Amino acid sequence: MSRLGTLGARLYRGEVGYDFVAKRKIWYGISILITITAIVGLAVRGLNMGIEFSGGATFNTTKTSVSTDAAKQVAEEASGHTAIVQKTGDGKLRIQVSELTPEKSQATQLALAKKLDVSTNDINTDIVGPSWGEEIADKAWTGLGVFMVLVVIYLAIAFEWRMALAALVALIHDLTITVGIYALVGFEVTPGTVIGLLTILGYSLYDTVVVFDGLKESAKDITKQTRWTYSEIANRSLNGTLVRSINTTVVALLPVAGLLFIGGGFLGAGMLNDISLALFVGLAAGAYSSIFIATPLVADLKERDPQMKALTRRVHAKRAAQAAKADSAQDEGGAQDADEAEDEPQDASPAGVVGQRRQPVSRNRGGRGGKRR
């Protein structure tokens, strides 16, 4: 079995673990800082909306030797707006100019035809009005709102309202970061970007539901025991699905990274960036939020419940009694017998402990529990 597989099995059995829940304030602080940066970037730079949303024109030329820089300069001088120029594989140019009126579109078409030394009929022009883009944007926001409401209702029915609230916070967190990255990077927002956002929200929700499902199973009849608190159960459940979440995320990120960095960056297929950036950032943010935000937030909310508060007190009281009993037994020279008579096995250590679980006391003394010579 590979090391990762062995680690996953040990995490699942609770033999090792990392205390994500206990360090939740650190994760909250990191997330708040990233979210504020994204909001500031969005407020200062805004989104670079494509012509599908802001209106504009697309000019497709015939095969030409004119460079993209020269065509970009001509288009921007004629239109008065920023132009995006791409060279297609057959030597033609595709020029996009946002917020362009029909009059300016005609002037730009004439300028490009003059520069390329072709007839204006050889410049294929597609004009998109801003009203069409507004309609698309309104429908996208409506679809997103309906999606959020259905998600909350489903999670509240399938799990409980605290998990639904935590999942909603994680989704908003992922959406804000992804949109903020678009504003900071300046990538164009197109219908492909909206599809990417809705896709990664679905992925983020899936990852969160997997963790919550394990937590729901682990926390069944939790008040009937005094071994672990709810936060410790949540942490054990999170560690049990950690390797699965990492594997799923890495496998999903690899092809998206290929589209973004190889296809869109190295090979120059810029149109791939519209959707691949949303997928790449969203997948990473979704995996992060399901581990560092959603589950710790559920534990936070759940620990406020009176039953969970009472359970925490019972667990702490029992551990204090065990510690006092063990100390007393050690003083009397018979600590190992007292430990073995205890009804709790040593693997009852919470998964919040990093590293291997404790071994029985008798094995650490090299005398009573070891070989007899």
Side-chain angles (χ1 to χ4, degrees):
M1 184 180 294
S2 65
R3 290 185 176 181
L4 189 60
T6 303
L7 176 61
R10 297 185 68 194
L11 285 168
Y12 184 79
R13 293 195 297 266
E15 295 177 355
V16 294
Y18 187 80
D19 206 344
F20 295 99
V21 175
K23 295 180 173 60
R24 55 186 177 273
K25 290 184 179 178
I26 297 176
W27 319 133
Y28 292 166
I30 293 173
S31 296
I32 290 172
L33 182 62
I34 296 175
T35 304
I36 290 176
T37 303
I39 292 174
V40 170
L42 186 62
V44 174
R45 295 176 61 89
L47 291 174
N48 179 21
M49 306 300 288
I51 64 172
E52 294 86 354
F53 296 105
S54 62
T58 301
F59 306 95
N60 293 294
T61 73
T62 56
K63 185 177 181 180
T64 179
S65 59
V66 175
S67 66
T68 55
D69 291 337
K72 177 181 174 67
Q73 182 179 1
V74 171
E76 291 182 346
E77 289 177 353
S79 65
H81 297 281
T82 301
I84 299 174
V85 182
Q86 294 174 321
K87 196 159 194 172
T88 59
D90 52 3
K92 299 177 181 179
L93 294 178
R94 185 174 186 270
I95 304 155
Q96 282 188 332
V97 184
S98 299
E99 302 177 1
L100 204 59
T101 62
E103 294 76 16
K104 284 289 185 180
S105 298
Q106 189 174 12
T108 304
Q109 184 182 17
L110 289 172
L112 287 171
K114 185 178 179 181
K115 179 65 179 178
L116 271 62
D117 194 22
V118 297
S119 169
T120 53
N121 293 330
D122 293 330
I123 306 293
N124 185 20
T125 304
D126 295 323
I127 300 176
V128 179
S131 59
W132 186 83
E134 291 175 1
E135 182 181 350
I136 292 294
D138 290 341
K139 290 182 178 179
W141 283 113
T142 302
L144 182 62
V146 171
F147 172 80
M148 292 287 192
V149 171
L150 292 178
V151 164
V152 171
I153 293 174
Y154 168 74
L155 290 178
I157 295 174
F159 298 99
E160 60 172 300
W161 68 267
R162 296 175 183 86
M163 291 183 177
L165 179 60
L168 180 62
V169 171
L171 287 177
I172 294 174
H173 167 272
D174 300 341
L175 182 64
T176 304
I177 290 178
T178 306
V179 174
I181 293 293
Y182 262 86
L184 292 171
V185 175
F187 276 17
E188 190 176 33
V189 177
T190 66
T193 306
V194 177
I195 295 172
L197 286 174
L198 293 177
T199 302
I200 60 102
L201 289 179
Y203 173 83
S204 174
L205 181 64
Y206 167 78
D207 211 33
T208 303
V209 166
V210 168
V211 177
F212 284 177
D213 192 50
L215 175 57
K216 180 183 177 183
E217 186 66 25
S218 302
K220 189 177 181 181
D221 297 329
I222 187 174
T223 56
K224 297 180 180 177
Q225 55 85 45
T226 55
R227 185 176 299 179
W228 297 305
T229 66
Y230 187 89
S231 293
E232 290 165 352
I233 290 287
N235 200 63
R236 288 175 62 89
S237 178
L238 185 56
N239 277 280
T241 57
L242 182 61
V243 172
R244 178 180 176 179
S245 297
I246 293 175
N247 285 338
T248 306
T249 303
V250 170
V251 170
L253 278 177
L254 285 177
V256 177
L259 285 176
L260 179 61
F261 298 111
I262 305 299
F266 183 71
L267 298 179
M271 294 179 66
L272 294 176
N273 292 336
D274 300 346
I275 187 170
S276 59
L277 180 64
L279 291 174
F280 186 82
V281 176
L283 288 173
Y288 170 84
S289 64
S290 65
I291 296 172
F292 297 97
I293 302 298
T295 305
L297 187 55
V298 168
D300 248 345
L301 296 172
K302 197 73 178 178
E303 289 288 1
R304 300 171 190 272
D305 185 270
Q307 286 187 328
M308 297 303 123
K309 287 182 178 179
L311 173 63
T312 301
R313 287 194 294 270
R314 292 198 301 272
V315 171
H316 289 168
K318 183 172 184 178
R319 289 176 185 170
Q322 288 176 345
K325 195 172 183 179
D327 290 341
S328 175
Q330 286 179 349
D331 293 340
E332 295 173 358
Q336 75 284 7
D337 295 334
D339 287 341
E340 290 172 358
E342 190 56 52
D343 60 348
E344 295 292 343
Q346 291 300 319
D347 62 359
S349 300
V353 177
V354 178
Q356 295 185 348
R357 70 173 96 171
R358 291 187 302 162
Q359 298 298 322
V361 176
S362 57
R363 296 183 183 178
N364 296 332
R365 297 188 171 178
R368 299 169 185 271
K371 291 182 178 179
R372 295 180 182 272
R373 300 180 184 277

